[in-house]
Amino acid sequence: MIVALDVGGTSMKGAIMDRALDRTATVRRPTPRGEAAVAAVVDFVADLFTQAGGAEAIGVAVPGIVDDETGVAVHSENIGWHDAPFRDLIEKRTGVPVAVGHDVRAGGTAELRLGAARGTRNSLVIPIGTGIAAAMVIDGHLCVGNGFAGEIGHMSVGADEPCVCGGTGCLEAVASGPAIARRYARRTGHETTADAVAARVAEGEPDAVAIWAETVGWLGTALAAATVIAAPEVIVIGGGLSRAGDLLLAPLTEDIYERLTFQRRPRLTTARFADEAGCVGAGLWALDLLESR
Amino acid sequence: MIVALDVGGTSMKGAIMDRALDRTATVRRPTPRGEAAVAAVVDFVADLFTQAGGAEAIGVAVPGIVDDETGVAVHSENIGWHDAPFRDLIEKRTGVPVAVGHDVRAGGTAELRLGAARGTRNSLVIPIGTGIAAAMVIDGHLCVGNGFAGEIGHMSVGADEPCVCGGTGCLEAVASGPAIARRYARRTGHETTADAVAARVAEGEPDAVAIWAETVGWLGTALAAATVIAAPEVIVIGGGLSRAGDLLLAPLTEDIYERLTFQRRPRLTTARFADEAGCVGAGLWALDLLESR
């Protein structure tokens, strides 16, 4: 058996899987804020390990800046930890091999090997949820950059909105799920969620339509810039916002294509694994550990 | 002996070198426009080959979209050719192995192996001359993307200026050498060159200072976006504009750092090989051919 954990900005998804990645259990817990989240992650993995009656290997996907080679979570804006040595902590606790890496690269691994980016050598897999980042594959190589590659959520799109990172106008500050809900609430006075905004867009509600069009423009700005640099054949949208489907993909594709000239036009699609991509990718990493030993 | 050719937007530089890359001859010719440039490149290489009394291998660096694997120059905005099969044409003419690739990736190869990016695993090498593009190395891998990777010159920086590519507001349309000269001329009524503008900046001439500050801002916008995605440890500025040295590097470094928050801050430096990088890189590719056979 294998234990896989995907740590998100608001909740953690844990799974017990066999070597075919078929699950025998899936468990969710909320993600605490700050350094308390470190112990919560290690405890959650240890509990799953016990529940599985032991496991052969463990894969853990975490957000922020992560050094996949040392298994250290260097920094997370949303959660608030610094230099958390997850691989060492979990190996000490369980005694089995542990792979720790970026949640978005875990999702990218899942989409690349089993999902929407399969068969391509150049792709961007971009979950849009509490945060926004990209798993970037160029010439078949999944880019890490010591943990700093693909942080498209903190590319400036020229918006006048402060970001949790300390910058202004970052993509994540205007186009993440919470940001879409916040912008809609500010415009209308009604608290809501990004899913609800999408539902109102489908109904043609003017405020929702206006917020959505702005969001598409900002996503288009950042994805066109990323396309100019990274030359993806396919852009895979994942995370909560991918539930909007063609309501997002159709105008976003049009927006990006309008910004490109001679560049290769990427195909846009939604993730196969939706918000399960991180857990599947963490499972694939755990399998990789077993194969390499 | 080796023949190396670097095809630029305005002139072609040819060199005859030994295996240590020491030159016995360097020759320049103007670059024609349109399909006539194809024959001009092949003739130039053949003449150098004859002048060398034969050569063991040939390296050719060309601008635009180039498929390094097939040796075909797919497209060049500035020159105007399409699907020129340079590798086949030159191998047929000379009978020796030929490597054809992107001029900017040739320059990147030179800086990475012998120059300003040596010892790093993540870098951007960006010549700023008639055109602007980047050789992008991530995790030690020189990104190709079927010829489309690193085309930072056609990233929109939000300027209100038409670009030769058909887009508007591309970095190249405002920050290339000719673009700087054109913007200065439009502001002052005086025709000049980017070098002359830089000289006037050093003297504190207000119009030149204003044009320079705008240019730095646009370069900073694009390089910060590229840094967010590609996470370079070092950004190497080459091409004609690198002759400005600290007049460019100091304000550009400050501008980029102001745009970054948690990201790794790249060191900015000028190219070791200046505008010779393409020729040196083409020579290294020719050597690679000899080593691989």
Side-chain angles (χ1 to χ4, degrees), chain A residues 76-150:
Chain A
S76 165
E77 290 298 332
N78 286 317
I79 298 178
W81 58 39
H82 294 273
D83 294 321
F86 280 118
R87 189 178 68 194
D88 288 353
L89 290 171
I90 299 169
E91 285 192 346
K92 229 173 260 175
R93 186 83 161 261
T94 62
V96 299
V98 177
V100 175
H102 195 225
D103 57 354
V104 174
R105 282 191 290 279
T109 300
E111 296 297 336
L112 186 65
R113 295 205 205 160
L114 304 171
R118 196 170 175 176
T120 67
R121 298 192 72 231
N122 302 276
S123 61
L124 292 170
V125 177
I126 307 185
I128 305 177
T130 308
I132 302 178
M136 179 166 68
V137 174
I138 303 178
D139 303 333
H141 171 75
L142 178 60
C143 300
V144 178
N146 302 106
F148 290 93

Side-chain angles (χ1 to χ4, degrees), chain B residues 56-103:
Chain B
E56 296 171 279
I58 295 169
V60 179
V62 299
I65 303 299
V66 189
D67 186 335
D68 301 29
E69 285 174 21
T70 59
V72 172
V74 177
H75 178 63
S76 165
E77 291 296 333
N78 287 315
I79 298 178
W81 59 38
H82 294 274
D83 294 322
F86 281 118
R87 189 178 68 193
D88 288 354
L89 291 171
I90 299 169
E91 284 191 346
K92 229 174 258 175
R93 186 84 162 261
T94 63
V96 299
V98 177
V100 175
H102 195 225
D103 57 354

Side-chain angles (χ1 to χ4, degrees), chain A residues 181-220:
Chain A
R182 189 172 57 240
R183 286 169 43 230
Y184 182 84
R186 199 162 53 201
R187 184 183 177 101
T188 63
H190 299 297
E191 298 291 326
T192 186
T193 64
D195 279 340
V197 173
R200 282 166 206 168
V201 173
E203 293 161 6
E205 198 260 278
D207 288 319
V209 167
I211 291 290
W212 202 251
E214 274 184 349
T215 307
V216 165
W218 283 320
L219 286 168

Side-chain angles (χ1 to χ4, degrees), chain A residues 65 77 122 136 138-139 141-146 148-151 154-155 165-167 226 228-229 231 261-264, chain B residues 65 77 122 136 138-139 141-146 148-151 154-155 165-167 226 228-229 231 261-264:
Chain A
I65 303 300
E77 290 298 332
N122 302 276
M136 179 166 68
I138 303 178
D139 303 333
H141 171 75
L142 178 60
C143 300
V144 178
N146 302 106
F148 290 93
E151 286 285 347
H154 299 282
M155 184 191 286
C165 78
V228 166
I229 294 180
T261 56
F262 63 89
Q263 296 89 355
R264 177 162 64 183
Chain B
I65 303 299
E77 291 296 333
N122 302 276
M136 178 166 69
I138 303 178
D139 303 333
H141 171 75
L142 178 60
C143 300
V144 177
N146 302 106
F148 290 93
E151 286 285 345
H154 298 282
M155 184 191 286
C165 78
V228 166
I229 293 179
T261 54
F262 63 88
Q263 296 88 356
R264 176 160 65 182

Side-chain angles (χ1 to χ4, degrees), chain B residues 259-275:
Chain B
R259 295 174 195 268
L260 301 177
T261 54
F262 63 88
Q263 296 88 356
R264 176 160 65 182
R265 292 180 165 196
R267 183 169 53 84
L268 266 73
T269 184
T270 50
R272 172 179 167 191
F273 295 100
D275 59 355

Side-chain angles (χ1 to χ4, degrees), chain B residues 175-259:
Chain B
S176 69
I180 293 169
R182 189 172 58 242
R183 288 169 42 229
Y184 182 86
R186 200 161 53 201
R187 184 182 176 103
T188 64
H190 300 297
E191 297 291 326
T192 187
T193 64
D195 278 341
V197 173
R200 283 166 205 168
V201 173
E203 292 161 4
E205 198 260 276
D207 287 319
V209 167
I211 292 290
W212 202 252
E214 274 184 351
T215 307
V216 165
W218 283 320
L219 286 168
T221 297
L223 292 180
T227 296
V228 166
I229 293 179
E233 299 154 62
V234 61
I235 295 178
V236 179
I237 305 290
L241 209 66
S242 69
R243 287 191 291 267
D246 276 346
L247 199 67
L248 177 64
L249 289 195
L252 183 54
T253 301
E254 193 182 332
D255 186 280
I256 292 170
Y257 286 7
E258 272 173 16
R259 295 174 195 268

